[in-house]
Amino acid sequence: MADGIFITFEGGEGSGKSTQIKRLKDKLESAGRDVVLTREPGGSPGAEEIRQLLVTGAPNRWEPVTEAMLLAAARHDHVVRTIRPALMRGAIVLCDRFYDSSIAYQGYAHGLGPQVIETLTDIAVGDTRPDLTFIFDMDVETGLARARGRGDGEDRYEQMDLAFHQALRQAYRDIAANHPERCVMVAADQSMDAVEAEIRQALKDRLSL
Ligand code: TMP
């Protein structure tokens, strides 16, 4: 799609990806690049409204299929209103979570299976697919402790049990193994500088960026 580059960041709770995305945005902007930092669920006015339905309330607030469809609806709005226009004008889009989150959370950890999510994803994103995906991998309990310390009220997923989060970690590892051409695993329990260095190296090797 035009000359833009689409990079997504994935991982379990508290893995430090949001901090790394901000660092990368600053670096790329200092180098004169047009960068759009966005996130899911959210990233467009309509999708941010849907986000509130997803990240607050009791863990069992939604049936898994309802939840997957809400996520797909938010994703479609986000792709059409934010991501595609940015890619069309040649920007670098850095997105905090994208459809791999649905594969991992809803497809595997919630047990819907990957096929349902892939069908919804085809409808939601069409051919707008990431060029590169970083998967932040770290010890589940450490990540959860970090995420729960935030106290931002967006804790619906953090309340899910340890088995859910462990299934999630395995799901992300499987996604990385199944899509080596697109995915790079990052050992997220290192120092922030070490994680940043891994990301910069991968961007150089994979995208000459
Ligand atoms: P965040 O904490 O990274 O902002 O993401 C909000 C929560 O939404 C996070 O706990 C993961 C969850 N989520 C899904 O379950 N499926 C998805 O497709 C996305 C994008 C997020």
Side-chain angles (χ1 to χ4, degrees):
M1 184 165 293
D3 293 315
I5 300 175
F6 184 20
I7 305 171
T8 59
F9 296 77
E10 295 281 356
E13 308 295 319
S15 60
K17 61 189 163 42
S18 306
T19 307
Q20 291 296 334
I21 299 173
K22 286 192 198 103
R23 283 190 177 204
L24 179 59
K25 176 180 189 275
D26 291 346
K27 287 265 160 57
L28 292 170
E29 281 181 340
S30 307
R33 308 296 296 243
D34 175 6
V35 181
V36 172
L37 192 168
T38 188
R39 69 167 180 183
E40 289 210 345
S44 63
E48 288 290 333
E49 288 193 33
I50 298 173
R51 177 187 175 93
Q52 288 313 308
L53 301 174
L54 288 159
V55 298
T56 60
N60 64 354
R61 179 175 185 181
W62 304 109
E63 285 296 309
V65 174
T66 315
E67 182 161 327
M69 290 172 113
L70 283 171
L71 283 155
R75 183 160 298 133
H76 185 252
D77 195 69
H78 183 211
V79 165
V80 171
R81 309 272 168 110
T82 304
I83 297 176
R84 271 186 207 149
L87 293 173
M88 290 300 287
R89 69 164 198 263
I92 299 174
V93 176
L94 306 178
C95 190
D96 191 341
R97 300 192 178 282
F98 199 51
Y99 58 66
D100 293 311
S101 283
S102 288
I103 303 263
Y105 280 76
Q106 284 67 48
Y108 285 100
H110 265 153
L112 277 183
Q115 192 52 54
V116 175
I117 306 302
E118 274 160 24
T119 302
L120 289 171
T121 299
D122 286 343
I123 298 167
V125 312
D127 62 359
T128 305
R129 308 273 168 169
D131 297 297
L132 184 63
T133 297
F134 289 103
I135 296 185
F136 284 51
D137 182 64
M138 76 180 294
D139 172 67
V140 169
E141 291 184 55
T142 314
L144 274 176
R146 266 203 217 166
R148 285 175 178 150
R150 279 187 209 133
D152 57 8
E154 295 191 341
D155 61 352
R156 187 168 157 258
Y157 291 91
E158 288 150 27
Q159 293 176 55
M160 292 177 189
D161 63 18
L162 201 57
F164 177 92
H165 292 280
Q166 267 150 355
L168 196 57
R169 185 182 193 190
Q170 189 55 48
Y172 273 125
R173 289 180 164 179
D174 292 348
I175 291 169
N178 292 337
H179 300 282
E181 70 299 336
R182 173 173 66 85
C183 297
V184 174
M185 288 279 278
V186 177
D189 40 14
Q190 312 173 77
S191 71
M192 289 210 281
D193 287 346
V195 173
E196 185 176 351
E198 273 194 30
I199 290 172
R200 296 310 306 251
Q201 191 60 48
L203 288 173
K204 210 162 148 200
D205 295 346
R206 302 263 186 148
L207 299 174
S208 308
L209 200 66

